[in-house]
Amino acid sequence: MAQWKLGSVLDLCCPDRRLERIVKRRKRRKCPKARLTDGFALRSFQFAGLRLTLPEAHEFSDCPSFAEISASRSADLLTPCPQTPPVKKTMITRNARQHARGSSLQLGTARHLYACGVPESHRSFEMQLQEALEAVCDAIVREDSEAKLVKQTVFLRDPEQVDACRAMVDAFFEAKGNPAPVTTYVTQPPCGGEAVVIQAYGLSPSGATVEVQRKSEHLAIVRQGELSWIHCGHVAPEVSEENVYDRSQDAFARMKNYLSEAGVPLERVVRTWLYLGDIVGPEGQTQRYKELNRARSDYYREVHFGTGLHLHGPHRKRIYPASTGIGSQGRDLLISCVALEAKPDRVRLISLENPQQTSAFDYAPVYSKRSPKFARAMAVVLENEALVYVSGTASITESESRHDGDVRAQTHQTLDNIGALISQENFAQHAQPEIGATLDDLAEVCVYVKRIEDHEAVREICEARLPGVPAVYVEADVCRPELLVEIEGIALAHK
């Protein structure tokens, strides 16, 4: 059942003269616009004698004409819905300049910082990279001069520039007297025509002791008191085999080895990113993404995620990391992840599933011989707040793709799915009723757009529904051919 924001404007066209008279009580013209107030939810866009046009659609509402129309013609389509609870003020702080957007949130004793950097011009690649790096550093340090940049994802248009980009990133931070953050170089073209854009994460001590230890170009450890975040980036397979299954198995093994350098077992991973070239392309008699799922399922078979941590909620006996599986240029695979170390009494871990969707790990074999082993989101709960890693989310309800060919409807559905996933109502279903989040509580998002011609429509909707949220828009294939957009993010759930 879709819900629409209070105050949405409806165009009402009623060929039936009796219904027309009912509507005219609200507005004195033949085809009026009614601004709604509160109390009803709509199951369908259409019912007898009434066409609804909803340009910005979210929560629905009631007006006298709808009450009468419902009673006389369409009672089966309009049903009372509970009053929306008071909107909680977001705990996210945002700052924005023309080419850099940042946000920050307080979690425990440290402040987590997020930034997106876009070059100011479309000049040479070197100039664009320099400008994007300066933008993210400025956004992070603007929040706190003592902030530490921990990791970043660099999205590139040209795969041939990865090695040169890596060298320039190292030189940039060396010139500043700092080691480069853990960096993953992803070949997904930025939608705005840039050669490169950057999404970055940093940490501010906020009066407490925070230690950032860079173990290698692939691994960094952030120690925040008794809590440690382990960031592992740009993990690529090195085996000679070219098939997706073997290369995926090797990449997972290499990720496990990198984590072991920090003394962290694979079981502590809470979030993964899997970038696969030609993701919906053929692989023998099957599909490349399905082979990735088969490799992931086999590798995870003996891994009991969350071991040693305090697992909470109804899914605690079977949890998997939050994850994004998304397309990239070329034909290879790239992996990154976040793991967590903490005393069981310090942190609770909640594997969140979406009430509107079938859990991915329960998908029928028609979608993949081995179902995708990931959670819709993973919430790391410290007292009465939670950092929520939102997996790549698309226009799917239950297990079916929705709104085939309609990128606007798919984008709305995707955001609706994220809203339901992080809501207080869903946290209550996961035995954590005192906290929750809305779309306003997103600290950052990454938006993957399948067709570049859809970029402006997707951006328009996202900017309207996620005002001020730092966002990166890149061109990438989604894991089902009919899906046109996918969105991931990080949110803060709170009281």
Side-chain angles (χ1 to χ4, degrees), residues 327-342:
S328 63
Q329 293 187 334
R331 295 275 296 175
D332 213 349
L333 174 70
L334 194 63
I335 294 178
S336 62
C337 75
V338 178
L340 182 69
E341 282 278 38

Side-chain angles (χ1 to χ4, degrees), residues 469-483:
V469 176
V472 162
Y473 297 84
V474 292
E475 184 182 354
D477 220 345
V478 186
C479 64
R480 295 183 187 179
E482 67 276 13
L483 293 175

Side-chain angles (χ1 to χ4, degrees), residues 101-408:
R101 279 190 172 183
S103 65
S104 64
L105 59 89
Q106 187 73 31
L107 187 71
T109 59
R111 196 149 189 87
H112 295 243
L113 312 172
Y114 303 89
C116 298
V118 178
E120 296 180 16
S121 65
H122 284 193
R123 292 182 284 180
S124 68
F125 172 75
E126 292 79 8
M127 287 297 299
Q128 290 191 47
L129 178 59
Q130 177 81 16
E131 290 169 356
L133 287 167
E134 291 286 3
V136 294
C137 288
D138 179 55
I140 295 290
V141 174
R142 193 187 318 151
E143 186 70 29
D144 186 339
S145 61
E146 299 299 316
K148 305 175 190 298
L149 188 57
V150 177
K151 74 162 187 174
Q152 61 184 4
T153 303
V154 177
F155 298 93
L156 295 158
R157 179 168 300 280
D158 185 355
E160 299 298 321
Q161 292 178 318
V162 171
D163 291 340
C165 184
R166 182 184 285 111
M168 285 185 280
V169 167
D170 289 343
F172 175 88
F173 286 99
E174 184 179 348
K176 290 182 174 291
N178 298 313
V182 169
T183 304
T184 301
Y185 300 89
V186 181
T187 53
Q188 294 172 331
C191 287
E194 304 89 354
V196 59
V197 296
I198 300 175
Q199 194 169 44
Y201 162 73
L203 208 66
S204 167
S206 191
T209 301
V210 173
E211 177 190 357
V212 179
Q213 181 184 8
R214 187 180 188 267
K215 301 283 287 186
S216 70
E217 65 176 340
H218 298 285
L219 194 72
I221 306 170
V222 178
R223 293 186 175 90
Q224 179 187 344
E226 298 177 337
L227 176 64
S228 294
W229 308 85
I230 300 90
H231 297 272
C232 184
H234 204 91
V235 181
E238 295 188 357
V239 293
S240 58
E241 287 82 0
E242 296 183 359
N243 65 81
V244 172
Y245 183 90
D246 288 337
R247 296 189 73 76
S248 300
Q249 288 269 307
D250 184 65
F252 284 121
R254 292 181 65 78
M255 182 176 75
K256 180 180 178 180
N257 290 339
Y258 286 134
L259 292 171
S260 68
E261 294 177 13
V264 177
L266 188 65
E267 285 80 359
R268 304 293 167 77
V269 171
V270 295
R271 179 64 161 105
T272 63
W273 289 264
L274 312 177
Y275 305 99
L276 180 62
D278 194 21
I279 190 169
V280 293
E283 179 88 353
Q285 298 300 309
T286 185
Q287 183 199 61
R288 289 171 62 78
Y289 180 61
K290 293 180 180 180
E291 282 296 275
L292 171 60
N293 285 329
R294 185 167 72 92
R296 174 168 51 180
S297 292
D298 289 350
Y299 201 86
Y300 285 0
R301 184 172 292 138
E302 302 302 324
V303 181
H304 301 286
F305 287 101
T307 299
L309 300 172
H310 180 182
L311 304 182
H312 193 67
H315 304 288
R316 61 187 179 275
K317 293 183 179 179
R318 180 175 62 161
I319 75 165
Y320 299 101
S323 190
T324 297
I326 196 73
S328 63
Q329 293 187 334
R331 295 275 296 175
D332 213 349
L333 174 70
L334 194 63
I335 294 178
S336 62
C337 75
V338 178
L340 182 69
E341 282 278 38
K343 291 184 177 180
D345 61 349
R346 179 78 174 89
V347 170
R348 296 187 300 281
L349 205 61
I350 302 177
S351 175
L352 287 174
E353 295 301 315
N354 196 320
Q356 299 177 174
Q357 296 178 304
T358 303
S359 297
F361 49 76
D362 283 335
Y363 276 176
V366 65
Y367 297 104
S368 191
K369 185 176 181 180
R370 300 278 197 278
S371 61
K373 299 300 190 291
F374 70 91
R376 297 294 181 188
M378 186 65 72
V380 180
V381 185
L382 280 75
E383 298 180 353
N384 293 316
E385 296 172 328
L387 191 69
V388 186
Y389 291 101
V390 178
S391 295
T393 304
S395 179
I396 297 172
T397 59
E398 298 178 335
S399 58
E400 300 295 320
S401 302
R402 305 297 180 189
H403 311 297
D404 191 12
D406 187 340
V407 72
R408 287 184 172 274

Side-chain angles (χ1 to χ4, degrees), residues 88-97 100-106 111-116 139 142-143 422 437-445 462-463 465-471 490-492 494:
K88 297 183 293 185
K89 183 178 179 181
T90 181
M91 306 296 285
I92 306 288
T93 301
R94 308 197 195 284
N95 60 74
R97 293 186 182 177
R101 279 190 172 183
S103 65
S104 64
L105 59 89
Q106 187 73 31
R111 196 149 189 87
H112 295 243
L113 312 172
Y114 303 89
C116 298
R142 193 187 318 151
E143 186 70 29
I422 63 178
T438 69
L439 295 180
D440 290 337
D441 294 305
L442 285 164
E444 70 170 10
V445 295
C462 289
E463 290 186 348
R465 296 188 62 178
L466 308 174
V469 176
I490 294 177
L492 178 67
H494 55 95

